[in-house]
């Protein structure tokens, strides 16, 4: 009997992952920049700089610039367009790490599989919360918006911590230059978002509890730093999958006989 392999035919869509990653990360990155500058330049200052304490604020928060109209429409459309591709990347990462499972020590494979599943679900919840927090603005329902944002922050940082750990653990042989670069930037983005989160929480307390003028502006700066650090971390996926292509095509068996391959098209070999 011939060995069964697979061949691809009648391809209708071929998307290089380089293009896929640039578009997916570019949508929130560029739309956030647009929302900030357009709101800062053209919106009513009282609409985007208003605070609970009614103190001086010069830099609007992410929620403020993505919650006013028409910026809110641009932000929601771009987040909606970028969300589905991100869910696919979560599945790709799960299978990517799964390939390293046979090389993990037998007594640690259970922990490794748990970490794989944990990272997958943290990533999925993070993406879902980003979509939800973008659709429910702080002006429409602040209590719900705030709670979803907290869950997004927790799952985002947790995913970065465990994802970086899992990435290093899955390297069962010396890292290539590309893998070293990916690991380096994952650590940089993790450090960046961790320090920014500490600053964000500190100035949130300074604003909410002590109503210090300008504290909310610094809080907002840390918010933008966190947003772009999050994007920077996820764009490292390009280094893992840059040689991959997303394909919509027929995948059919390919028979190998006597060292010769006979691609099967429409149920028949070309030699039939």
């Amino acid at each position: 009997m011939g060995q069964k392999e697979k061949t691809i035919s009648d391809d209708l869509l071929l998307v290089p992952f380089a293009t896929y990653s640039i578009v997916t990360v570019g949508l929130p990155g560029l739309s956030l920049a647009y929302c900030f500058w357009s709101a800062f330049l053209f919106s009513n200052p009282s609409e985007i700089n208003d605070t609970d304490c009614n103190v001086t604020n010069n830099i609007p928060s992410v929620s403020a610039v993505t919650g006013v109209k028409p910026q809110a429409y641009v932000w929601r459309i771009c987040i909606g367009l970028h969300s589905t591709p991100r869910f696919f990347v979560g599945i790709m990462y799960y299978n990517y790490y799964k390939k390293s499972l046979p090389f993990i020590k037998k007594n640690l494979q259970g922990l490794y599989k748990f970490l794989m599943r944990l990272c997958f679900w943290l990533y999925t919840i993070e993406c879902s919360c980003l979509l939800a927090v973008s659709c429910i603005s702080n002006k429409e329902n602040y209590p719900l918006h705030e709670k979803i944002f907290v869950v997004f922050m927790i799952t985002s940082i947790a995913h970065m911590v465990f994802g970086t750990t899992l990435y290093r653990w899955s390297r069962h042989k010396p890292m290539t230059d590309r893998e070293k670069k990916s690991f380096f930037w994952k650590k940089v983005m993790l450090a960046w978002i961790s320090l920014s989160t500490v600053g964000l929480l500190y100035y949130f307390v300074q604003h909410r509890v002590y109503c210090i003028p300008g504290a909310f502006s610094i809080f907002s700066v840390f918010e933008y730093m966190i947003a772009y650090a999050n994007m920077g971390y996820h764009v490292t996926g390009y280094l893992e999958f840059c040689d991959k292509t997303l394909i919509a095509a027929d995948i059919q068996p390919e028979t190998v006989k006597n060292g010769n391959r006979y691609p099967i098209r429409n149920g028949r070999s070309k030699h039939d």
Side-chain angles (χ1 to χ4, degrees):
M1 289 181 66
Q3 180 185 356
K4 290 293 183 68
E5 295 189 359
K6 292 181 180 179
T7 186
I8 294 172
S9 63
D10 194 24
D11 49 287
L12 303 177
L13 179 67
L14 298 173
V15 182
F17 193 81
T19 303
Y20 190 86
S21 61
I22 290 170
V23 172
T24 301
V25 176
L27 284 168
L30 293 175
S31 62
L32 181 57
Y34 162 77
C35 289
F36 175 81
W37 287 112
S38 60
F40 189 81
L41 294 173
F42 303 115
S43 295
N44 188 330
S46 62
E47 188 177 14
I48 59 174
N49 290 321
D50 186 36
T51 64
D52 294 332
C53 295
N54 293 318
V55 294
T56 302
N57 179 47
N58 298 312
I59 302 177
S61 66
V62 172
S63 297
V65 300
T66 59
V68 295
K69 297 176 177 63
Q71 289 81 0
Y73 301 137
V74 174
W75 176 246
R76 291 173 183 177
I77 290 170
C78 288
I79 291 298
L81 290 173
H82 117 290
S83 293
T84 299
R86 280 195 62 184
F87 286 119
F88 292 153
V89 173
I91 297 170
M92 290 173 66
Y93 260 117
Y94 181 84
N95 291 319
Y96 175 76
Y97 290 129
K98 189 176 180 180
K99 289 182 177 180
S100 296
L101 182 60
F103 301 97
I104 304 300
K105 292 181 180 179
K106 292 291 185 182
N107 61 325
L108 296 176
Q109 286 187 359
L111 178 60
Y112 183 86
K113 287 191 285 187
F114 170 77
L115 201 56
M116 281 171 46
R117 297 189 188 101
L118 177 63
C119 285
F120 173 78
W121 286 111
L122 286 172
Y123 182 91
T124 302
I125 295 170
E126 175 196 341
C127 295
S128 301
C129 286
L130 177 60
L131 182 60
V133 81
S134 300
C135 294
I136 304 171
S137 74
N138 61 341
K139 296 182 182 298
E140 295 168 342
N141 191 329
Y142 180 79
L144 182 57
H145 176 89
E146 183 181 47
K147 290 178 176 63
I148 296 173
F149 177 74
V150 170
V151 176
F152 167 78
M153 285 296 301
I154 292 172
T155 54
S156 173
I157 295 174
H159 171 261
M160 291 172 75
V161 170
F162 293 120
T164 304
T165 302
L166 185 60
Y167 184 83
R168 182 65 186 89
W169 193 5
S170 64
R171 304 302 92 191
H172 53 273
K173 53 186 178 181
M175 288 189 186
T176 64
D177 290 340
R178 198 167 71 187
E179 290 171 339
K180 289 178 181 177
K181 185 183 295 185
S182 179
F183 187 49
F184 170 78
W185 284 111
K186 280 177 170 62
K187 291 187 292 183
V188 169
M189 293 301 123
L190 175 58
W192 181 352
I193 203 169
S194 298
L195 293 173
S196 298
T197 300
V198 172
L200 179 110
L201 293 173
Y202 175 79
Y203 282 100
F204 180 78
V205 172
Q206 294 297 303
H207 167 71
R208 183 63 68 88
V209 178
Y210 301 108
C211 291
I212 296 176
F216 194 77
S217 296
I218 303 177
F219 166 88
S220 298
V221 170
F222 281 118
E223 246 194 334
Y224 291 103
M225 290 176 66
I226 288 170
Y228 282 102
N230 179 275
M231 296 176 206
Y233 184 90
H234 290 300
V235 83
T236 61
Y238 165 78
L239 294 168
E240 275 78 76
F241 307 124
C242 62
D243 56 347
K244 306 295 184 186
T245 301
L246 280 83
I247 301 173
D250 292 335
I251 300 178
Q252 300 170 337
E254 180 177 330
T255 303
V256 179
K257 295 181 179 180
N258 301 321
N260 297 315
R261 293 185 175 181
Y262 301 91
I264 296 177
R265 300 283 193 271
N266 300 321
R268 290 190 173 189
S269 168
K270 65 179 183 180
H271 293 276
D272 288 347

